[in-house]
């Protein structure tokens, strides 16, 4: 028995739709589909200021959610201004550039470091090694996350 041409032509989109539906069902079943950003901050550190005007803070941020997000602002009620910055190396020299935000991919981790992204902190309070300093990290979608960074010596990052 021969399948009519119209029926054969309809089989291709029906098969493609069934395959797509199966893939989407598996994705949704894994819990990743539609889950919001969920940033979790660990290893919050702030450098013992070598000069009273400025220091730097570093955070490890894991996005345990299924959606990308962006770190758009960092502040500290204990300090003056806090700004996201990135070190860029050109012709062997490193320069610091302020950045408006930092991407946090779904399921990914942002590890701040002296050679990449960090938080520049102006007018830090008088602190000692081991003290804690409060910060608020604001994400585009997830909103604010409050953390305390421990004060460390520069060599202890």
């Amino acid at each position: 028995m021969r399948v009519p041409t119209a029926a054969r032509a309809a089989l291709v989109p029906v098969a493609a739709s069934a395959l797509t539906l199966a893939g989407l069902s598996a994705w949704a079943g894994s819990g990743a589909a539609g889950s919001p950003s969920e940033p979790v901050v660990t290893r919050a550190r702030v450098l013992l200021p070598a000069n009273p005007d400025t220091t730097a803070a570093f955070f490890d941020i894991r996005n345990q959610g299924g959606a990308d997000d962006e770190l758009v602002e960092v502040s500290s009620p204990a300090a003056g201004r806090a700004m996201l910055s990135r070190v860029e190396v050109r012709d062997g020299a490193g320069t610091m550039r302020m950045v408006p935000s930092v991407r946090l991919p779904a399921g990914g981790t942002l590890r701040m470091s002296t050679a990449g992204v960090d938080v520049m902190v102006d007018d830090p309070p008088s602190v000692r090694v081991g003290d804690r300093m409060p910060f608020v990290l604001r994400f585009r979608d997830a909103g604010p996350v409050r953390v305390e960074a421990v004060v460390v010596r520069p060599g202890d990052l």
Side-chain angles (χ1 to χ4, degrees):
M1 175 182 207
R2 198 158 184 227
V3 177
T5 305
R8 268 188 282 154
L11 284 177
V12 172
V14 168
S17 296
L19 187 58
T20 301
L21 183 59
L24 286 172
S25 296
W27 182 49
S30 73
S35 67
S37 164
E38 187 182 333
V40 175
V41 181
T42 60
R43 291 195 62 223
R45 296 106 48 222
V46 62
L47 295 180
L48 181 66
N51 117 31
D53 296 333
T54 188
T55 191
F58 306 88
F59 306 92
D60 288 357
I61 308 166
R62 171 117 176 105
N63 184 351
Q64 295 181 333
D68 292 350
D69 208 339
E70 276 184 283
L71 176 60
V72 295
E73 182 184 5
V74 178
S75 62
S76 174
R81 189 170 58 160
M83 299 164 285
L84 290 166
S85 66
R86 180 183 305 275
V87 173
E88 293 181 349
V89 178
R90 290 190 184 138
D91 301 323
T95 59
M96 189 182 310
R97 179 176 67 92
M98 297 308 127
V99 293
S101 65
V102 180
R103 184 174 175 268
L104 184 60
T109 300
L110 168 64
R111 287 190 174 88
M112 294 186 181
S113 72
T114 57
V117 173
D118 67 15
V119 177
M120 191 169 102
V121 181
D122 287 342
D123 300 322
S126 178
V127 291
R128 295 180 304 208
V129 171
D131 286 351
R132 297 193 171 273
M133 189 169 156
F135 284 89
V136 178
L137 284 67
R138 285 183 180 78
F139 296 88
R140 182 192 68 226
D141 296 325
V145 174
R146 297 179 193 291
V147 298
E148 284 192 343
V150 65
V151 177
V152 298
R153 289 182 179 86
D156 294 342
L157 276 181

